[in-house]
Short mmCIF file of all heavy atoms in Angstrom, two decimals:
data_model
loop_
_atom_site.label_atom_id
_atom_site.label_comp_id
_atom_site.label_asym_id
_atom_site.label_seq_id
_atom_site.Cartn_x
_atom_site.Cartn_y
_atom_site.Cartn_z
N ILE A 246 -1.12 1.12 13.07
CA ILE A 246 -2.39 1.80 13.34
C ILE A 246 -3.53 0.86 12.97
O ILE A 246 -3.62 0.41 11.82
CB ILE A 246 -2.49 3.10 12.50
CG1 ILE A 246 -1.36 4.06 12.87
CG2 ILE A 246 -3.86 3.76 12.68
CD1 ILE A 246 -1.32 5.32 12.02
N PHE A 302 -0.49 1.52 8.09
CA PHE A 302 -1.80 2.19 8.08
C PHE A 302 -2.81 1.31 7.35
O PHE A 302 -2.49 0.73 6.30
CB PHE A 302 -1.64 3.55 7.37
CG PHE A 302 -2.92 4.36 7.37
CD1 PHE A 302 -3.22 5.19 8.43
CD2 PHE A 302 -3.82 4.28 6.30
CE1 PHE A 302 -4.41 5.93 8.45
CE2 PHE A 302 -5.00 5.00 6.31
CZ PHE A 302 -5.29 5.84 7.39
N PRO A 303 -4.06 1.21 7.87
CA PRO A 303 -5.03 0.31 7.24
C PRO A 303 -5.69 0.89 6.00
O PRO A 303 -6.90 1.11 5.97
CB PRO A 303 -6.04 0.07 8.35
CG PRO A 303 -5.99 1.34 9.17
CD PRO A 303 -4.58 1.85 9.09
N GLY A 304 -4.91 1.11 4.96
CA GLY A 304 -5.45 1.62 3.70
C GLY A 304 -4.39 1.58 2.62
O GLY A 304 -3.23 1.26 2.90
N VAL A 305 -4.80 1.90 1.41
CA VAL A 305 -3.86 1.92 0.28
C VAL A 305 -2.92 3.11 0.42
O VAL A 305 -3.38 4.25 0.65
CB VAL A 305 -4.65 2.00 -1.05
CG1 VAL A 305 -3.73 2.25 -2.22
CG2 VAL A 305 -5.47 0.73 -1.25
N THR A 313 -6.94 5.25 0.50
CA THR A 313 -8.20 4.73 1.06
C THR A 313 -8.03 4.57 2.57
O THR A 313 -6.91 4.42 3.06
CB THR A 313 -8.58 3.33 0.50
OG1 THR A 313 -7.64 2.35 1.01
CG2 THR A 313 -8.57 3.28 -1.01
N ALA A 314 -9.13 4.60 3.28
CA ALA A 314 -9.09 4.40 4.74
C ALA A 314 -10.45 3.86 5.17
O ALA A 314 -11.18 4.51 5.93
CB ALA A 314 -8.75 5.71 5.44
N ALA A 315 -10.78 2.65 4.66
CA ALA A 315 -12.14 2.12 4.81
C ALA A 315 -12.58 2.00 6.27
O ALA A 315 -13.71 2.37 6.62
CB ALA A 315 -12.21 0.75 4.15
N ASN A 316 -11.68 1.51 7.13
CA ASN A 316 -12.11 1.25 8.52
C ASN A 316 -11.66 2.30 9.51
O ASN A 316 -11.78 2.12 10.70
CB ASN A 316 -11.57 -0.12 8.96
CG ASN A 316 -12.32 -1.24 8.29
OD1 ASN A 316 -13.54 -1.17 8.19
ND2 ASN A 316 -11.61 -2.23 7.79
N ASN A 343 1.07 0.20 3.83
CA ASN A 343 -0.18 -0.52 4.15
C ASN A 343 0.10 -1.54 5.25
O ASN A 343 1.15 -2.21 5.24
CB ASN A 343 -0.67 -1.23 2.87
CG ASN A 343 -1.82 -2.18 3.16
OD1 ASN A 343 -1.61 -3.37 3.36
ND2 ASN A 343 -3.02 -1.67 3.24
N ASP A 344 -0.82 -1.66 6.21
CA ASP A 344 -0.57 -2.51 7.40
C ASP A 344 -0.37 -4.00 7.04
O ASP A 344 0.48 -4.69 7.62
CB ASP A 344 -1.69 -2.36 8.43
CG ASP A 344 -3.10 -2.63 7.87
OD1 ASP A 344 -3.25 -2.84 6.65
OD2 ASP A 344 -4.04 -2.63 8.68
N ALA A 345 -1.13 -4.50 6.06
CA ALA A 345 -1.00 -5.92 5.69
C ALA A 345 0.30 -6.15 4.92
O ALA A 345 0.96 -7.18 5.10
CB ALA A 345 -2.19 -6.38 4.86
N ASP A 346 0.68 -5.17 4.09
CA ASP A 346 1.97 -5.27 3.41
C ASP A 346 3.09 -5.35 4.44
O ASP A 346 4.04 -6.14 4.31
CB ASP A 346 2.20 -4.07 2.48
CG ASP A 346 1.34 -4.12 1.22
OD1 ASP A 346 0.65 -5.15 1.02
OD2 ASP A 346 1.34 -3.13 0.44
N THR A 369 -4.41 -10.74 6.83
CA THR A 369 -4.53 -10.32 8.23
C THR A 369 -6.02 -10.16 8.55
O THR A 369 -6.75 -9.52 7.78
CB THR A 369 -3.79 -8.99 8.50
OG1 THR A 369 -4.36 -7.95 7.69
CG2 THR A 369 -2.30 -9.10 8.18
N GLY A 371 -8.65 -8.88 11.27
CA GLY A 371 -8.86 -8.07 12.46
C GLY A 371 -10.11 -7.24 12.26
O GLY A 371 -11.17 -7.81 11.93
N THR A 372 -10.00 -5.92 12.42
CA THR A 372 -11.15 -5.05 12.16
C THR A 372 -11.59 -5.22 10.71
O THR A 372 -12.77 -5.23 10.39
CB THR A 372 -10.79 -3.57 12.43
OG1 THR A 372 -10.23 -3.49 13.74
CG2 THR A 372 -11.99 -2.68 12.30
N GLY A 373 -10.61 -5.31 9.81
CA GLY A 373 -10.87 -5.59 8.39
C GLY A 373 -10.15 -6.87 7.99
O GLY A 373 -9.73 -7.64 8.85
N ILE A 374 -10.03 -7.07 6.68
CA ILE A 374 -9.15 -8.15 6.20
C ILE A 374 -8.12 -7.51 5.29
O ILE A 374 -8.48 -6.82 4.31
CB ILE A 374 -9.94 -9.23 5.42
CG1 ILE A 374 -10.92 -9.95 6.36
CG2 ILE A 374 -8.99 -10.24 4.78
CD1 ILE A 374 -11.73 -11.05 5.70
N GLY A 375 -6.87 -7.69 5.64
CA GLY A 375 -5.77 -7.14 4.84
C GLY A 375 -5.11 -8.25 4.05
O GLY A 375 -5.18 -9.43 4.43
N SER A 376 -4.47 -7.88 2.94
CA SER A 376 -3.81 -8.90 2.13
C SER A 376 -2.51 -8.37 1.54
O SER A 376 -2.38 -7.17 1.30
CB SER A 376 -4.76 -9.34 1.00
OG SER A 376 -5.17 -8.22 0.25
N ASN A 387 -0.30 -3.08 -2.02
CA ASN A 387 -1.68 -2.59 -2.02
C ASN A 387 -2.73 -3.51 -2.62
O ASN A 387 -3.71 -3.04 -3.21
CB ASN A 387 -1.75 -1.21 -2.72
CG ASN A 387 -1.07 -0.13 -1.92
OD1 ASN A 387 -1.26 -0.02 -0.72
ND2 ASN A 387 -0.23 0.67 -2.58
N VAL A 388 -2.53 -4.80 -2.52
CA VAL A 388 -3.55 -5.73 -2.98
C VAL A 388 -4.68 -5.74 -1.93
O VAL A 388 -4.44 -5.95 -0.75
CB VAL A 388 -2.95 -7.15 -3.17
CG1 VAL A 388 -4.05 -8.18 -3.33
CG2 VAL A 388 -2.01 -7.15 -4.35
N GLU A 389 -5.90 -5.47 -2.38
CA GLU A 389 -7.03 -5.27 -1.43
C GLU A 389 -8.03 -6.42 -1.51
O GLU A 389 -9.19 -6.22 -1.87
CB GLU A 389 -7.69 -3.93 -1.75
CG GLU A 389 -6.88 -2.72 -1.35
CD GLU A 389 -6.96 -2.43 0.16
OE1 GLU A 389 -8.03 -2.65 0.76
OE2 GLU A 389 -5.95 -2.01 0.74
N GLY A 391 -9.41 -7.97 0.86
CA GLY A 391 -10.48 -7.87 1.86
C GLY A 391 -11.72 -7.21 1.27
O GLY A 391 -12.81 -7.27 1.83
N HIS A 392 -11.53 -6.57 0.10
CA HIS A 392 -12.63 -5.83 -0.51
C HIS A 392 -13.26 -6.59 -1.69
O HIS A 392 -14.05 -6.02 -2.44
CB HIS A 392 -12.17 -4.43 -0.91
CG HIS A 392 -11.97 -3.55 0.29
ND1 HIS A 392 -12.59 -2.36 0.48
CD2 HIS A 392 -11.21 -3.75 1.40
CE1 HIS A 392 -12.23 -1.84 1.65
NE2 HIS A 392 -11.37 -2.66 2.22
N ILE A 405 -18.60 -6.52 0.56
CA ILE A 405 -17.15 -6.82 0.63
C ILE A 405 -16.89 -7.88 1.69
O ILE A 405 -17.55 -7.92 2.73
CB ILE A 405 -16.29 -5.55 0.84
CG1 ILE A 405 -16.66 -4.80 2.11
CG2 ILE A 405 -16.38 -4.64 -0.37
CD1 ILE A 405 -15.69 -3.68 2.45
N GLU A 407 -14.68 -8.41 3.92
CA GLU A 407 -14.36 -8.13 5.32
C GLU A 407 -15.61 -7.80 6.16
O GLU A 407 -15.57 -7.84 7.36
CB GLU A 407 -13.30 -7.03 5.45
CG GLU A 407 -13.72 -5.66 5.04
CD GLU A 407 -12.60 -4.62 5.18
OE1 GLU A 407 -11.45 -4.98 5.41
OE2 GLU A 407 -12.92 -3.42 5.05
C1 BGC B 102 -8.14 -1.89 4.15
C2 BGC B 102 -6.77 -2.51 3.90
C3 BGC B 102 -6.18 -3.00 5.21
C4 BGC B 102 -7.14 -3.95 5.89
C5 BGC B 102 -6.63 -4.42 7.24
C6 BGC B 102 -9.01 -2.91 4.86
O1 BGC B 102 -10.24 -2.34 5.10
O2 BGC B 102 -8.74 -1.50 2.95
O3 BGC B 102 -5.92 -1.58 3.29
O4 BGC B 102 -4.95 -3.63 4.96
O5 BGC B 102 -8.39 -3.31 6.09
O6 BGC B 102 -6.45 -3.37 8.12
#
Side-chain angles (χ1 to χ4, degrees):
I246 299 176
F302 183 86
V305 170
T313 70
N316 287 317
N343 171 265
D344 56 354
D346 286 354
T369 62
T372 308
I374 295 181
S376 55
N387 291 314
V388 167
E389 287 282 324
H392 289 236
I405 58 171
E407 68 181 10

